[in-house]
Amino acid sequence: DDAHKLHLKEGLTSLKKVLNNTAGKGSGCVLVPTVADKANPDDVLGITQYEKGHYFLYHLEKLVAEDNMLTFLRQYLKKREGGNITTKEFVIDFTSFVKTTFDEAKATEILSQIDWKTWLYDGGLPPVLHATHFEGLNKLDAVFEQFRDGKEVGDLEFVKQSTGLMITLTQ
């Protein structure tokens, strides 16, 4: 979970840089860009779709819980195997999954927390920013700053224990 949070945090940082450089405008700044006829997909697809898409899936996972999200994704991919996946089908399938997985009150509560239009078609940052803070990252940041600044690194045992996390994140 710490690695996932760090990936989200770093992705959000990258997304902010892209949005600052483009003033948050243009098809490259939305999760589902409009691709004009004969347009090169490389001109409209990039870091925004990857990072905002990751954040969006994380948001959905937080709403339905990790095990339910994995169940949905498995069912969705099996159902759509061998075909094209469209945004409209994803919305329909996810909504249907929530309605059949949860009682009516809970399903309504979950679906009311998804602003599909803003997430998918509006530029800018994700409309919901989940906390990506965790103590391990703060300690690693402090140790890195000590190392970078040529100071004595205080908690070497913590660094040794965190090496697996750091290696995982750089692969």
Side-chain angles (χ1 to χ4, degrees):
D1 194 45
D2 282 352
H4 194 185
K5 287 180 181 179
L6 182 58
H7 184 102
L8 284 167
K9 183 177 181 176
E10 293 303 314
L12 190 58
T13 300
S14 297
L15 181 58
K16 286 177 181 178
K17 287 178 186 174
V18 168
L19 295 174
N20 283 339
N21 290 337
T22 60
K25 298 184 192 277
S27 62
C29 295
V30 298
L31 185 52
V32 182
T34 303
V35 181
D37 289 338
K38 299 181 183 174
N40 183 339
D42 291 339
D43 294 337
V44 291
L45 299 174
I47 195 82
T48 301
Q49 290 73 39
Y50 179 79
E51 297 301 349
K52 197 171 183 179
H54 179 212
Y55 219 91
F56 181 55
L57 291 174
Y58 183 73
H59 174 64
L60 297 179
E61 178 183 295
K62 286 297 187 188
L63 294 174
V64 300
E66 182 178 358
D67 57 334
N68 288 323
M69 188 64 178
L70 291 173
T71 298
F72 165 72
L73 290 172
R74 284 184 190 106
Q75 291 173 359
Y76 180 74
L77 293 173
K78 186 171 184 166
K79 178 180 179 180
R80 303 293 177 189
E81 185 176 13
N84 293 325
I85 298 175
T86 68
T87 303
K88 182 179 179 180
E89 290 168 341
F90 180 86
V91 172
I92 290 168
D93 289 355
F94 187 81
T95 301
S96 175
F97 175 80
V98 169
K99 288 180 177 180
T100 58
T101 303
F102 299 95
D103 64 58
E104 185 177 354
K106 183 65 176 173
T108 299
E109 176 191 335
I110 290 169
L111 294 172
S112 72
Q113 295 179 65
I114 307 169
D115 183 349
W116 297 101
K117 180 193 170 298
T118 302
W119 272 104
L120 301 173
Y121 302 105
D122 288 355
L125 292 173
V128 178
L129 298 176
H130 292 278
T132 55
H133 168 80
F134 59 100
E135 195 57 38
L137 178 61
N138 291 340
K139 285 182 85 173
L140 281 173
D141 282 347
V143 168
F144 173 74
E145 287 176 16
Q146 290 170 339
F147 177 78
R148 181 195 63 208
D149 297 340
K151 298 178 182 173
E152 185 71 28
V153 176
D155 194 351
L156 285 177
E157 191 57 36
F158 174 75
V159 173
K160 289 176 188 175
Q161 292 172 357
S162 301
T163 303
L165 171 62
M166 292 166 41
I167 291 170
T168 300
L169 296 173
T170 58
Q171 293 179 349

